[in-house]
């Protein structure tokens, strides 16, 4: 069986010269790659008591839902502003050029619940930091954050100090 890194398509000079884009679609389009990705991410949760899986829009949904299903845990979506139908709380965070806002349903996390946050990629860490703060605002405890891929050169882990963070694959650059 191939290693998960072998399923990742690397595209040079996208979206701009000097950047190597790590494409998750090549993993999703291969049944063995998808199974390996989900299993590898789920393995990062071994030994951690988790009540709820939270996934980040949109690729965090793709990996978080099967993990929640396998663990028989509920799945909670963190979405872009204006996409959730019920009462929400929100958090705005900085992007390279501007800002973005994400939301979670106000009733999605109960006080004291142990939460694992799942996403496909950590770059600067701003999105997941905002999600973790919302989970905590609702009274949840972030017990683990799991990424499929990490762009270590962007130092996203620094924003997530104090959290237990794992990534399946780590690339040294941006």
């Amino acid at each position: 069986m191939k290693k998960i890194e072998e399923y990742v398509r690397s595209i040079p000079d996208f979206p701009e010269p000097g950047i190597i884009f790590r494409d998750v679609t090549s993993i999703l389009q291969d049944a063995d790659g998808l199974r390996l990705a989900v299993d590898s991410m789920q393995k990062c949760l071994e030994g951690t008591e988790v009540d709820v899986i939270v996934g980040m829009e949109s690729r965090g949904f793709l990996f978080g839902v099967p993990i929640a299903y396998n663990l028989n845990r509920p799945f909670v979506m963190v979405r872009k502003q204006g996409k959730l139908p019920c009462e929400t709380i929100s958090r705005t965070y900085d992007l390279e050029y501007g800002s973005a806002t994400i939301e979670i349903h106000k009733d999605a996390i109960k006080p004291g619940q142990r939460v694992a946050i799942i996403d496909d990629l950590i770059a600067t860490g701003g999105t997941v930091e905002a999600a973790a703060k919302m989970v905590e605002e609702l009274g949840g405890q972030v017990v683990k954050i799991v990424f499929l891929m990490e762009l270590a050169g962007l130092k996203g882990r620094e924003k997530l100090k104090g959290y237990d963070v794992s990534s399946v694959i780590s690339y040294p650059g941006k």
Side-chain angles (χ1 to χ4, degrees):
M1 183 171 221
K2 294 184 347 185
K3 292 172 35 178
I4 192 68
E5 292 90 333
E6 295 177 70
Y7 291 97
V8 178
R9 181 172 36 201
S10 296
I11 303 166
D13 299 321
F14 183 84
E16 58 188 52
I19 302 292
I20 299 174
F21 185 82
R22 309 296 181 177
D23 186 16
V24 72
T25 63
S26 53
I27 296 170
L28 299 171
Q29 293 170 353
D30 187 290
D32 291 334
L34 177 58
R35 178 176 304 281
L36 183 57
V38 171
D39 291 350
S40 298
M41 293 175 81
Q42 186 172 317
K43 188 174 178 70
C44 293
L45 294 174
E46 286 180 359
T48 304
E49 286 189 49
V50 175
D51 300 313
V52 178
I53 303 294
V54 167
M56 307 299 300
E57 184 170 358
S58 65
R59 292 176 302 264
F61 298 174
L62 300 173
F63 299 107
V65 167
I67 291 170
Y69 177 84
N70 290 341
L71 298 177
N72 194 33
R73 297 292 184 264
F75 180 79
V76 171
M77 295 183 284
V78 170
R79 298 212 57 198
K80 295 173 186 160
Q81 187 174 31
K83 301 291 185 181
L84 291 172
C86 297
E87 191 175 356
T88 63
I89 63 168
S90 64
R91 198 54 84 137
T92 300
Y93 59 97
D94 291 328
L95 299 168
E96 189 175 355
Y97 304 105
S99 63
T101 302
I102 54 175
E103 297 180 325
I104 189 171
H105 277 142
K106 203 172 198 175
D107 63 354
I109 304 294
K110 309 292 185 271
Q113 284 187 313
R114 296 171 301 240
V115 176
I117 299 175
I118 306 293
D119 205 1
D120 70 319
L121 176 75
I122 178 174
T124 63
T127 307
V128 170
E129 179 190 34
K133 298 298 183 201
M134 288 191 301
V135 166
E136 293 166 347
E137 183 179 335
L138 294 173
Q141 177 189 4
V142 178
V143 294
K144 190 77 172 185
I145 301 173
V146 178
F147 300 98
L148 179 60
M149 295 185 282
E150 177 175 0
L151 303 178
L154 293 174
K155 303 183 187 316
R157 278 185 189 250
E158 290 179 11
K159 273 202 176 117
L160 302 176
K161 281 185 181 159
Y163 296 106
D164 185 356
V165 177
S166 293
S167 58
V168 176
I169 306 168
S170 182
Y171 295 100
K174 301 177 181 181

